[in-house]
Amino acid sequence: MAALKDKVFFCGVCCSELTDPDRSSFTECGHLLCSPCYKTPNMCPVCNQASQILSISQVEKIPSCGVLFQSVPAMLKQATATLQFQMQQFQIIRTKQNEKIQHLENKTAVLEQSHAAKCSELRLCKQQLAETGRSVAPSPSHGSYPNLSQGEKARFNDSSGRRVQGSVTRKSCLSCSEK
């Protein structure tokens, strides 16, 4: 393995330099071993865990493990490229998110203005309705409602001729409470 020949590796047990990739081993748990230190099959002598063991020359052929044997400058170059890509993606997402927030804030402002206008219109209608109800409602002294249906009669209080509170139900508006 030409790519490994220019790199220096050391045994995790005896710390000797690993000069021959075919006579050096790499454990599944991530330790490097020289041939003399590798004595028990499928057992890592560094951490004493059951572990598959491959020669370094076999490991370099596995794409996910080959990166472990890259030079530090090559790894830094790859990490820098990855970081730049991820930062660009983050900026794209952040820009889109800010645009969405701005759109929602604008929409909220328009709806709040519309809501305030509708609440004002509702108060005016209620005021006109109350005034109309007082002027049209029969006097309590008459005791009868000759022109009103049963449902309409139920909406009026017999003693005052005014609409019964709660006959028109709606949820309260928290943003514009009536005064």
Side-chain angles (χ1 to χ4, degrees), residues 128-165:
Q128 291 173 349
L129 180 63
E131 290 170 1
T132 304
R134 279 184 280 220
S135 64
V136 174
S139 168
S141 62
H142 288 126
S144 67
Y145 299 90
N147 299 329
L148 297 179
S149 68
Q150 279 302 107
E152 290 170 326
K153 289 178 185 177
R155 291 189 184 122
F156 288 95
N157 181 331
D158 290 340
S159 64
S160 68
R162 298 180 67 194
R163 260 188 191 271
V164 176
Q165 288 293 330

PDB file of all heavy atoms in Angstrom, residues 128-165:
ATOM      1  N   GLN A 128     -75.589  50.869  17.769  1.00  0.00           N
ATOM      2  CA  GLN A 128     -76.771  51.177  16.963  1.00  0.00           C
ATOM      3  C   GLN A 128     -77.891  50.193  17.248  1.00  0.00           C
ATOM      4  O   GLN A 128     -79.065  50.564  17.307  1.00  0.00           O
ATOM      5  CB  GLN A 128     -76.412  51.167  15.474  1.00  0.00           C
ATOM      6  CG  GLN A 128     -75.522  52.308  15.059  1.00  0.00           C
ATOM      7  CD  GLN A 128     -75.032  52.178  13.621  1.00  0.00           C
ATOM      8  OE1 GLN A 128     -75.184  51.133  12.997  1.00  0.00           O
ATOM      9  NE2 GLN A 128     -74.421  53.241  13.119  1.00  0.00           N
ATOM     10  N   LEU A 129     -77.535  48.910  17.419  1.00  0.00           N
ATOM     11  CA  LEU A 129     -78.533  47.891  17.720  1.00  0.00           C
ATOM     12  C   LEU A 129     -79.197  48.178  19.060  1.00  0.00           C
ATOM     13  O   LEU A 129     -80.428  48.085  19.180  1.00  0.00           O
ATOM     14  CB  LEU A 129     -77.886  46.502  17.723  1.00  0.00           C
ATOM     15  CG  LEU A 129     -78.806  45.324  18.029  1.00  0.00           C
ATOM     16  CD1 LEU A 129     -79.873  45.208  16.946  1.00  0.00           C
ATOM     17  CD2 LEU A 129     -78.006  44.038  18.113  1.00  0.00           C
ATOM     18  N   ALA A 130     -78.408  48.560  20.049  1.00  0.00           N
ATOM     19  CA  ALA A 130     -78.968  48.858  21.366  1.00  0.00           C
ATOM     20  C   ALA A 130     -79.894  50.062  21.288  1.00  0.00           C
ATOM     21  O   ALA A 130     -80.978  50.070  21.885  1.00  0.00           O
ATOM     22  CB  ALA A 130     -77.845  49.108  22.369  1.00  0.00           C
ATOM     23  N   GLU A 131     -79.467  51.090  20.555  1.00  0.00           N
ATOM     24  CA  GLU A 131     -80.308  52.280  20.410  1.00  0.00           C
ATOM     25  C   GLU A 131     -81.577  51.959  19.640  1.00  0.00           C
ATOM     26  O   GLU A 131     -82.655  52.429  19.988  1.00  0.00           O
ATOM     27  CB  GLU A 131     -79.530  53.392  19.706  1.00  0.00           C
ATOM     28  CG  GLU A 131     -78.421  53.971  20.554  1.00  0.00           C
ATOM     29  CD  GLU A 131     -77.499  54.893  19.772  1.00  0.00           C
ATOM     30  OE1 GLU A 131     -77.739  55.109  18.561  1.00  0.00           O
ATOM     31  OE2 GLU A 131     -76.527  55.384  20.375  1.00  0.00           O
ATOM     32  N   THR A 132     -81.463  51.159  18.595  1.00  0.00           N
ATOM     33  CA  THR A 132     -82.622  50.773  17.799  1.00  0.00           C
ATOM     34  C   THR A 132     -83.565  49.905  18.617  1.00  0.00           C
ATOM     35  O   THR A 132     -84.778  50.081  18.577  1.00  0.00           O
ATOM     36  CB  THR A 132     -82.186  50.009  16.534  1.00  0.00           C
ATOM     37  OG1 THR A 132     -81.272  50.811  15.815  1.00  0.00           O
ATOM     38  CG2 THR A 132     -83.371  49.678  15.656  1.00  0.00           C
ATOM     39  N   GLY A 133     -83.023  48.993  19.388  1.00  0.00           N
ATOM     40  CA  GLY A 133     -83.834  48.121  20.233  1.00  0.00           C
ATOM     41  C   GLY A 133     -84.625  48.906  21.249  1.00  0.00           C
ATOM     42  O   GLY A 133     -85.778  48.609  21.516  1.00  0.00           O
ATOM     43  N   ARG A 134     -84.064  49.976  21.802  1.00  0.00           N
ATOM     44  CA  ARG A 134     -84.774  50.799  22.798  1.00  0.00           C
ATOM     45  C   ARG A 134     -85.873  51.621  22.136  1.00  0.00           C
ATOM     46  O   ARG A 134     -86.941  51.804  22.690  1.00  0.00           O
ATOM     47  CB  ARG A 134     -83.801  51.720  23.516  1.00  0.00           C
ATOM     48  CG  ARG A 134     -83.047  51.035  24.622  1.00  0.00           C
ATOM     49  CD  ARG A 134     -82.205  52.022  25.329  1.00  0.00           C
ATOM     50  NE  ARG A 134     -81.019  52.185  24.466  1.00  0.00           N
ATOM     51  CZ  ARG A 134     -79.790  52.301  24.879  1.00  0.00           C
ATOM     52  NH1 ARG A 134     -79.534  52.370  26.140  1.00  0.00           N
ATOM     53  NH2 ARG A 134     -78.784  52.390  24.057  1.00  0.00           N
ATOM     54  N   SER A 135     -85.597  52.099  20.933  1.00  0.00           N
ATOM     55  CA  SER A 135     -86.597  52.961  20.297  1.00  0.00           C
ATOM     56  C   SER A 135     -87.730  52.162  19.676  1.00  0.00           C
ATOM     57  O   SER A 135     -88.819  52.663  19.521  1.00  0.00           O
ATOM     58  CB  SER A 135     -85.935  53.855  19.241  1.00  0.00           C
ATOM     59  OG  SER A 135     -85.413  53.066  18.195  1.00  0.00           O
ATOM     60  N   VAL A 136     -87.467  50.903  19.288  1.00  0.00           N
ATOM     61  CA  VAL A 136     -88.495  50.100  18.636  1.00  0.00           C
ATOM     62  C   VAL A 136     -89.224  49.215  19.631  1.00  0.00           C
ATOM     63  O   VAL A 136     -90.377  48.880  19.432  1.00  0.00           O
ATOM     64  CB  VAL A 136     -87.863  49.229  17.516  1.00  0.00           C
ATOM     65  CG1 VAL A 136     -88.876  48.286  16.926  1.00  0.00           C
ATOM     66  CG2 VAL A 136     -87.259  50.102  16.452  1.00  0.00           C
ATOM     67  N   ALA A 137     -88.573  48.863  20.699  1.00  0.00           N
ATOM     68  CA  ALA A 137     -89.171  47.925  21.645  1.00  0.00           C
ATOM     69  C   ALA A 137     -90.451  48.504  22.227  1.00  0.00           C
ATOM     70  O   ALA A 137     -90.524  49.688  22.531  1.00  0.00           O
ATOM     71  CB  ALA A 137     -88.176  47.635  22.763  1.00  0.00           C
ATOM     72  N   PRO A 138     -91.485  47.666  22.361  1.00  0.00           N
ATOM     73  CA  PRO A 138     -92.741  48.145  22.942  1.00  0.00           C
ATOM     74  C   PRO A 138     -92.557  48.526  24.402  1.00  0.00           C
ATOM     75  O   PRO A 138     -91.708  47.984  25.075  1.00  0.00           O
ATOM     76  CB  PRO A 138     -93.683  46.948  22.802  1.00  0.00           C
ATOM     77  CG  PRO A 138     -92.809  45.778  22.614  1.00  0.00           C
ATOM     78  CD  PRO A 138     -91.533  46.275  22.014  1.00  0.00           C
ATOM     79  N   SER A 139     -93.337  49.433  24.821  1.00  0.00           N
ATOM     80  CA  SER A 139     -93.296  49.881  26.195  1.00  0.00           C
ATOM     81  C   SER A 139     -93.752  48.753  27.104  1.00  0.00           C
ATOM     82  O   SER A 139     -94.712  48.057  26.792  1.00  0.00           O
ATOM     83  CB  SER A 139     -94.212  51.093  26.344  1.00  0.00           C
ATOM     84  OG  SER A 139     -94.398  51.361  27.696  1.00  0.00           O
ATOM     85  N   PRO A 140     -93.092  48.594  28.218  1.00  0.00           N
ATOM     86  CA  PRO A 140     -93.501  47.526  29.140  1.00  0.00           C
ATOM     87  C   PRO A 140     -94.933  47.718  29.638  1.00  0.00           C
ATOM     88  O   PRO A 140     -95.584  46.771  30.019  1.00  0.00           O
ATOM     89  CB  PRO A 140     -92.517  47.620  30.292  1.00  0.00           C
ATOM     90  CG  PRO A 140     -91.409  48.509  29.849  1.00  0.00           C
ATOM     91  CD  PRO A 140     -91.901  49.280  28.668  1.00  0.00           C
ATOM     92  N   SER A 141     -95.425  48.920  29.583  1.00  0.00           N
ATOM     93  CA  SER A 141     -96.787  49.148  30.062  1.00  0.00           C
ATOM     94  C   SER A 141     -97.829  48.525  29.143  1.00  0.00           C
ATOM     95  O   SER A 141     -98.940  48.259  29.559  1.00  0.00           O
ATOM     96  CB  SER A 141     -97.039  50.648  30.213  1.00  0.00           C
ATOM     97  OG  SER A 141     -96.913  51.276  28.939  1.00  0.00           O
ATOM     98  N   HIS A 142     -97.488  48.302  27.856  1.00  0.00           N
ATOM     99  CA  HIS A 142     -98.453  47.680  26.954  1.00  0.00           C
ATOM    100  C   HIS A 142     -98.681  46.215  27.296  1.00  0.00           C
ATOM    101  O   HIS A 142     -99.756  45.690  27.037  1.00  0.00           O
ATOM    102  CB  HIS A 142     -97.994  47.780  25.493  1.00  0.00           C
ATOM    103  CG  HIS A 142     -98.102  49.169  24.956  1.00  0.00           C
ATOM    104  ND1 HIS A 142     -97.030  49.799  24.373  1.00  0.00           N
ATOM    105  CD2 HIS A 142     -99.119  50.062  24.933  1.00  0.00           C
ATOM    106  CE1 HIS A 142     -97.392  51.018  23.987  1.00  0.00           C
ATOM    107  NE2 HIS A 142     -98.677  51.197  24.328  1.00  0.00           N
ATOM    108  N   GLY A 143     -97.664  45.570  27.838  1.00  0.00           N
ATOM    109  CA  GLY A 143     -97.827  44.187  28.276  1.00  0.00           C
ATOM    110  C   GLY A 143     -97.863  43.177  27.165  1.00  0.00           C
ATOM    111  O   GLY A 143     -97.946  41.987  27.416  1.00  0.00           O
ATOM    112  N   SER A 144     -97.828  43.573  25.911  1.00  0.00           N
ATOM    113  CA  SER A 144     -97.863  42.582  24.839  1.00  0.00           C
ATOM    114  C   SER A 144     -96.945  43.026  23.707  1.00  0.00           C
ATOM    115  O   SER A 144     -96.575  44.186  23.604  1.00  0.00           O
ATOM    116  CB  SER A 144     -99.290  42.399  24.327  1.00  0.00           C
ATOM    117  OG  SER A 144     -99.702  43.595  23.699  1.00  0.00           O
ATOM    118  N   TYR A 145     -96.639  42.115  22.853  1.00  0.00           N
ATOM    119  CA  TYR A 145     -95.783  42.354  21.695  1.00  0.00           C
ATOM    120  C   TYR A 145     -96.552  41.884  20.468  1.00  0.00           C
ATOM    121  O   TYR A 145     -96.304  40.805  19.949  1.00  0.00           O
ATOM    122  CB  TYR A 145     -94.472  41.560  21.822  1.00  0.00           C
ATOM    123  CG  TYR A 145     -93.637  41.927  23.023  1.00  0.00           C
ATOM    124  CD1 TYR A 145     -93.786  41.277  24.245  1.00  0.00           C
ATOM    125  CD2 TYR A 145     -92.680  42.925  22.918  1.00  0.00           C
ATOM    126  CE1 TYR A 145     -93.010  41.605  25.326  1.00  0.00           C
ATOM    127  CE2 TYR A 145     -91.900  43.262  23.997  1.00  0.00           C
ATOM    128  CZ  TYR A 145     -92.056  42.605  25.202  1.00  0.00           C
ATOM    129  OH  TYR A 145     -91.278  42.940  26.268  1.00  0.00           O
ATOM    130  N   PRO A 146     -97.501  42.651  19.973  1.00  0.00           N
ATOM    131  CA  PRO A 146     -98.376  42.171  18.916  1.00  0.00           C
ATOM    132  C   PRO A 146     -97.651  41.862  17.603  1.00  0.00           C
ATOM    133  O   PRO A 146     -98.061  40.969  16.894  1.00  0.00           O
ATOM    134  CB  PRO A 146     -99.373  43.306  18.729  1.00  0.00           C
ATOM    135  CG  PRO A 146     -98.711  44.513  19.297  1.00  0.00           C
ATOM    136  CD  PRO A 146     -97.786  44.021  20.360  1.00  0.00           C
ATOM    137  N   ASN A 147     -96.586  42.573  17.259  1.00  0.00           N
ATOM    138  CA  ASN A 147     -95.935  42.372  15.966  1.00  0.00           C
ATOM    139  C   ASN A 147     -94.709  41.466  16.034  1.00  0.00           C
ATOM    140  O   ASN A 147     -94.011  41.314  15.039  1.00  0.00           O
ATOM    141  CB  ASN A 147     -95.516  43.720  15.373  1.00  0.00           C
ATOM    142  CG  ASN A 147     -96.709  44.616  15.139  1.00  0.00           C
ATOM    143  OD1 ASN A 147     -97.808  44.121  14.867  1.00  0.00           O
ATOM    144  ND2 ASN A 147     -96.515  45.914  15.267  1.00  0.00           N
ATOM    145  N   LEU A 148     -94.410  40.894  17.199  1.00  0.00           N
ATOM    146  CA  LEU A 148     -93.195  40.078  17.358  1.00  0.00           C
ATOM    147  C   LEU A 148     -93.544  38.595  17.415  1.00  0.00           C
ATOM    148  O   LEU A 148     -94.551  38.204  18.000  1.00  0.00           O
ATOM    149  CB  LEU A 148     -92.450  40.464  18.637  1.00  0.00           C
ATOM    150  CG  LEU A 148     -91.918  41.900  18.713  1.00  0.00           C
ATOM    151  CD1 LEU A 148     -91.234  42.114  20.055  1.00  0.00           C
ATOM    152  CD2 LEU A 148     -90.951  42.201  17.578  1.00  0.00           C
ATOM    153  N   SER A 149     -92.670  37.783  16.814  1.00  0.00           N
ATOM    154  CA  SER A 149     -92.855  36.328  16.905  1.00  0.00           C
ATOM    155  C   SER A 149     -92.430  35.871  18.294  1.00  0.00           C
ATOM    156  O   SER A 149     -91.846  36.637  19.058  1.00  0.00           O
ATOM    157  CB  SER A 149     -91.999  35.630  15.844  1.00  0.00           C
ATOM    158  OG  SER A 149     -90.629  35.794  16.170  1.00  0.00           O
ATOM    159  N   GLN A 150     -92.688  34.596  18.613  1.00  0.00           N
ATOM    160  CA  GLN A 150     -92.308  34.061  19.918  1.00  0.00           C
ATOM    161  C   GLN A 150     -90.802  34.189  20.139  1.00  0.00           C
ATOM    162  O   GLN A 150     -90.364  34.533  21.215  1.00  0.00           O
ATOM    163  CB  GLN A 150     -92.722  32.586  20.036  1.00  0.00           C
ATOM    164  CG  GLN A 150     -94.167  32.342  20.394  1.00  0.00           C
ATOM    165  CD  GLN A 150     -94.550  32.988  21.707  1.00  0.00           C
ATOM    166  OE1 GLN A 150     -95.257  33.989  21.709  1.00  0.00           O
ATOM    167  NE2 GLN A 150     -94.094  32.438  22.816  1.00  0.00           N
ATOM    168  N   GLY A 151     -90.008  33.873  19.092  1.00  0.00           N
ATOM    169  CA  GLY A 151     -88.547  33.964  19.214  1.00  0.00           C
ATOM    170  C   GLY A 151     -88.088  35.381  19.474  1.00  0.00           C
ATOM    171  O   GLY A 151     -87.204  35.615  20.284  1.00  0.00           O
ATOM    172  N   GLU A 152     -88.703  36.357  18.782  1.00  0.00           N
ATOM    173  CA  GLU A 152     -88.337  37.755  18.985  1.00  0.00           C
ATOM    174  C   GLU A 152     -88.732  38.229  20.370  1.00  0.00           C
ATOM    175  O   GLU A 152     -88.024  38.988  21.016  1.00  0.00           O
ATOM    176  CB  GLU A 152     -88.980  38.633  17.918  1.00  0.00           C
ATOM    177  CG  GLU A 152     -88.376  38.418  16.538  1.00  0.00           C
ATOM    178  CD  GLU A 152     -89.169  39.116  15.445  1.00  0.00           C
ATOM    179  OE1 GLU A 152     -90.409  39.196  15.572  1.00  0.00           O
ATOM    180  OE2 GLU A 152     -88.540  39.573  14.485  1.00  0.00           O
ATOM    181  N   LYS A 153     -89.894  37.755  20.850  1.00  0.00           N
ATOM    182  CA  LYS A 153     -90.343  38.133  22.198  1.00  0.00           C
ATOM    183  C   LYS A 153     -89.373  37.632  23.256  1.00  0.00           C
ATOM    184  O   LYS A 153     -89.115  38.309  24.243  1.00  0.00           O
ATOM    185  CB  LYS A 153     -91.735  37.572  22.480  1.00  0.00           C
ATOM    186  CG  LYS A 153     -92.821  38.256  21.702  1.00  0.00           C
ATOM    187  CD  LYS A 153     -94.163  37.605  21.997  1.00  0.00           C
ATOM    188  CE  LYS A 153     -95.248  38.196  21.122  1.00  0.00           C
ATOM    189  NZ  LYS A 153     -96.533  37.541  21.344  1.00  0.00           N
ATOM    190  N   ALA A 154     -88.814  36.443  23.016  1.00  0.00           N
ATOM    191  CA  ALA A 154     -87.906  35.855  23.999  1.00  0.00           C
ATOM    192  C   ALA A 154     -86.619  36.660  24.111  1.00  0.00           C
ATOM    193  O   ALA A 154     -85.921  36.582  25.112  1.00  0.00           O
ATOM    194  CB  ALA A 154     -87.587  34.412  23.622  1.00  0.00           C
ATOM    195  N   ARG A 155     -86.316  37.435  23.076  1.00  0.00           N
ATOM    196  CA  ARG A 155     -85.083  38.218  23.096  1.00  0.00           C
ATOM    197  C   ARG A 155     -85.207  39.496  23.927  1.00  0.00           C
ATOM    198  O   ARG A 155     -84.230  40.184  24.148  1.00  0.00           O
ATOM    199  CB  ARG A 155     -84.669  38.570  21.668  1.00  0.00           C
ATOM    200  CG  ARG A 155     -84.212  37.374  20.882  1.00  0.00           C
ATOM    201  CD  ARG A 155     -83.621  37.810  19.563  1.00  0.00           C
ATOM    202  NE  ARG A 155     -83.274  36.630  18.789  1.00  0.00           N
ATOM    203  CZ  ARG A 155     -83.733  36.360  17.589  1.00  0.00           C
ATOM    204  NH1 ARG A 155     -84.562  37.179  16.997  1.00  0.00           N
ATOM    205  NH2 ARG A 155     -83.358  35.274  16.960  1.00  0.00           N
ATOM    206  N   PHE A 156     -86.370  39.853  24.310  1.00  0.00           N
ATOM    207  CA  PHE A 156     -86.565  41.072  25.074  1.00  0.00           C
ATOM    208  C   PHE A 156     -86.921  40.750  26.517  1.00  0.00           C
ATOM    209  O   PHE A 156     -87.604  39.782  26.811  1.00  0.00           O
ATOM    210  CB  PHE A 156     -87.678  41.922  24.452  1.00  0.00           C
ATOM    211  CG  PHE A 156     -87.257  42.554  23.155  1.00  0.00           C
ATOM    212  CD1 PHE A 156     -87.542  41.944  21.945  1.00  0.00           C
ATOM    213  CD2 PHE A 156     -86.564  43.750  23.165  1.00  0.00           C
ATOM    214  CE1 PHE A 156     -87.160  42.524  20.767  1.00  0.00           C
ATOM    215  CE2 PHE A 156     -86.170  44.329  21.984  1.00  0.00           C
ATOM    216  CZ  PHE A 156     -86.466  43.718  20.778  1.00  0.00           C
ATOM    217  N   ASN A 157     -86.454  41.605  27.404  1.00  0.00           N
ATOM    218  CA  ASN A 157     -86.778  41.477  28.814  1.00  0.00           C
ATOM    219  C   ASN A 157     -88.124  42.170  29.033  1.00  0.00           C
ATOM    220  O   ASN A 157     -88.270  43.344  28.717  1.00  0.00           O
ATOM    221  CB  ASN A 157     -85.678  42.143  29.629  1.00  0.00           C
ATOM    222  CG  ASN A 157     -85.906  42.034  31.109  1.00  0.00           C
ATOM    223  OD1 ASN A 157     -87.049  41.965  31.576  1.00  0.00           O
ATOM    224  ND2 ASN A 157     -84.826  42.022  31.852  1.00  0.00           N
ATOM    225  N   ASP A 158     -89.131  41.449  29.556  1.00  0.00           N
ATOM    226  CA  ASP A 158     -90.481  41.996  29.711  1.00  0.00           C
ATOM    227  C   ASP A 158     -90.515  43.225  30.603  1.00  0.00           C
ATOM    228  O   ASP A 158     -91.346  44.100  30.433  1.00  0.00           O
ATOM    229  CB  ASP A 158     -91.426  40.940  30.263  1.00  0.00           C
ATOM    230  CG  ASP A 158     -91.706  39.841  29.255  1.00  0.00           C
ATOM    231  OD1 ASP A 158     -91.494  40.059  28.043  1.00  0.00           O
ATOM    232  OD2 ASP A 158     -92.120  38.762  29.692  1.00  0.00           O
ATOM    233  N   SER A 159     -89.604  43.328  31.551  1.00  0.00           N
ATOM    234  CA  SER A 159     -89.692  44.455  32.483  1.00  0.00           C
ATOM    235  C   SER A 159     -89.054  45.724  31.946  1.00  0.00           C
ATOM    236  O   SER A 159     -89.447  46.804  32.342  1.00  0.00           O
ATOM    237  CB  SER A 159     -89.041  44.079  33.823  1.00  0.00           C
ATOM    238  OG  SER A 159     -87.662  43.860  33.603  1.00  0.00           O
ATOM    239  N   SER A 160     -88.073  45.625  31.026  1.00  0.00           N
ATOM    240  CA  SER A 160     -87.407  46.851  30.581  1.00  0.00           C
ATOM    241  C   SER A 160     -87.545  47.119  29.094  1.00  0.00           C
ATOM    242  O   SER A 160     -87.286  48.224  28.650  1.00  0.00           O
ATOM    243  CB  SER A 160     -85.915  46.777  30.914  1.00  0.00           C
ATOM    244  OG  SER A 160     -85.300  45.787  30.111  1.00  0.00           O
ATOM    245  N   GLY A 161     -87.937  46.136  28.313  1.00  0.00           N
ATOM    246  CA  GLY A 161     -88.039  46.312  26.873  1.00  0.00           C
ATOM    247  C   GLY A 161     -86.690  46.313  26.172  1.00  0.00           C
ATOM    248  O   GLY A 161     -86.594  46.608  25.005  1.00  0.00           O
ATOM    249  N   ARG A 162     -85.631  46.003  26.902  1.00  0.00           N
ATOM    250  CA  ARG A 162     -84.288  45.959  26.309  1.00  0.00           C
ATOM    251  C   ARG A 162     -83.891  44.518  26.037  1.00  0.00           C
ATOM    252  O   ARG A 162     -84.441  43.595  26.622  1.00  0.00           O
ATOM    253  CB  ARG A 162     -83.268  46.576  27.270  1.00  0.00           C
ATOM    254  CG  ARG A 162     -83.561  48.039  27.544  1.00  0.00           C
ATOM    255  CD  ARG A 162     -82.567  48.637  28.482  1.00  0.00           C
ATOM    256  NE  ARG A 162     -81.282  48.673  27.818  1.00  0.00           N
ATOM    257  CZ  ARG A 162     -80.140  48.891  28.440  1.00  0.00           C
ATOM    258  NH1 ARG A 162     -80.125  49.082  29.740  1.00  0.00           N
ATOM    259  NH2 ARG A 162     -79.017  48.925  27.787  1.00  0.00           N
ATOM    260  N   ARG A 163     -82.898  44.349  25.140  1.00  0.00           N
ATOM    261  CA  ARG A 163     -82.403  43.006  24.842  1.00  0.00           C
ATOM    262  C   ARG A 163     -81.866  42.349  26.100  1.00  0.00           C
ATOM    263  O   ARG A 163     -81.192  42.987  26.897  1.00  0.00           O
ATOM    264  CB  ARG A 163     -81.250  43.081  23.831  1.00  0.00           C
ATOM    265  CG  ARG A 163     -81.670  42.772  22.460  1.00  0.00           C
ATOM    266  CD  ARG A 163     -80.431  42.673  21.592  1.00  0.00           C
ATOM    267  NE  ARG A 163     -80.856  42.620  20.226  1.00  0.00           N
ATOM    268  CZ  ARG A 163     -81.137  41.496  19.599  1.00  0.00           C
ATOM    269  NH1 ARG A 163     -80.982  40.365  20.197  1.00  0.00           N
ATOM    270  NH2 ARG A 163     -81.573  41.512  18.372  1.00  0.00           N
ATOM    271  N   VAL A 164     -82.134  41.085  26.262  1.00  0.00           N
ATOM    272  CA  VAL A 164     -81.624  40.338  27.402  1.00  0.00           C
ATOM    273  C   VAL A 164     -80.122  40.141  27.196  1.00  0.00           C
ATOM    274  O   VAL A 164     -79.688  39.776  26.104  1.00  0.00           O
ATOM    275  CB  VAL A 164     -82.327  38.961  27.513  1.00  0.00           C
ATOM    276  CG1 VAL A 164     -81.731  38.152  28.632  1.00  0.00           C
ATOM    277  CG2 VAL A 164     -83.813  39.159  27.702  1.00  0.00           C
ATOM    278  N   GLN A 165     -79.344  40.432  28.212  1.00  0.00           N
ATOM    279  CA  GLN A 165     -77.897  40.239  28.103  1.00  0.00           C
ATOM    280  C   GLN A 165     -77.596  38.767  27.813  1.00  0.00           C
ATOM    281  O   GLN A 165     -78.179  37.875  28.413  1.00  0.00           O
ATOM    282  CB  GLN A 165     -77.193  40.636  29.417  1.00  0.00           C
ATOM    283  CG  GLN A 165     -77.167  42.117  29.678  1.00  0.00           C
ATOM    284  CD  GLN A 165     -76.295  42.841  28.655  1.00  0.00           C
ATOM    285  OE1 GLN A 165     -75.341  42.303  28.142  1.00  0.00           O
ATOM    286  NE2 GLN A 165     -76.680  44.069  28.348  1.00  0.00           N
TER     287      GLN A 165
END
